[in-house]
Amino acid sequence: MAEEDLKSKIIKKGNLPRHIAIIMDGNGRWARKRGLPRIAGHRAGVKTVKRIVEAASGLKISILTLFTFSTENWQRPREEVSAIMNLLYQTTKRELSELEKNNVKLITTGNIEELSSTRKEILKKAIQRTKDNTGLVLNLALNYSGRSEILDAIRKISVDICSGVIKPEDLDEGLFSSYLYTKGLPDPDLLIRTSGEMRISNFMLWQTSYTELYVTPVLWPDFTDDDFYQAIWAYQNRQRRFGKI
Ligand code: IPE
Ligand code: IPE
Ligand code: MG
């Protein structure tokens, strides 16, 4: 089906996912297939990010979360880590005016305090400058680990219980969620993973309990608007049951 037709069909159908999360995977394999260094794959992946942010904005999706860098990714070779970090910092700097122009609000989920101070400042500036935008919320999961997020929440809850701010019996799912990095964000409705891996890789363990999963073999740098629309169309044609019948 032509891309435009699918886009119109999606819009017409109406039950768009409010929050889409993507595990952007396969940059390294994309580069290897071409005999290029892994960083060339990350560079190509940035172009996909730009396209998919525009496609999500075009569909008026409320929130797009992109798994950008996991806490475990620090264990990659030093050169790859610093190349990814530099790309992130250069891209944020370069694209800031574009985000402002397109009414995109940038936020992050994860521990950005651990990033180097220059990188942190660039991100904080972009977050600050786009904070009143009312269009797509672009959430970068950065230095993110789902298990660390849960542990951090438990630490904060323990402090609040010990100091009497909350009582153990007050703790329910809503209150627990408010201690997570994603406080205030609805859970993802649709989680897309590129490059065919059938795993969650420590991503939003709490928040994805009823998220619809969509895995495509397409490598992230090759992921097109049409692939994105296909994922959304698949979501729109599923029946979410939440344990009911
Ligand atoms: C995803 O691509 C980007 C990050 C994890 C930062 P990979 O770099 O994991 O690519 P593959 O999985 O090795 O192909
Ligand atoms: C998940 O991809 C992390 C990001 C996309 C940032 P990985 O490539 O790190 O995951 P594994 O190692 O295949 O599980
Ligand atoms: Mg990978």
Side-chain angles (χ1 to χ4, degrees), residues 171-212:
L171 198 59
D172 58 12
E173 291 185 8
L175 185 59
F176 186 81
S177 298
S178 74
Y179 281 88
L180 295 172
Y181 304 150
T182 50
K183 174 184 178 178
L185 287 181
D187 291 342
D189 299 296
L190 169 64
L191 170 62
I192 302 170
R193 183 166 187 152
T194 58
S195 93
E197 306 296 356
M198 301 283 185
R199 54 179 171 257
I200 210 91
S201 300
N202 206 4
F203 181 70
M204 294 204 173
L205 301 177
W206 171 273
Q207 298 88 337
T208 53
S209 63
Y210 268 105
T211 300
E212 292 296 324

Side-chain angles (χ1 to χ4, degrees), residues 46-66:
V46 170
K47 293 196 180 136
T48 306
V49 169
K50 199 170 149 62
R51 271 192 281 106
I52 298 306
V53 168
E54 282 165 16
S57 284
L59 288 174
K60 300 205 166 32
I61 299 294
S62 302
I63 304 145
L64 177 68
T65 292
L66 299 177

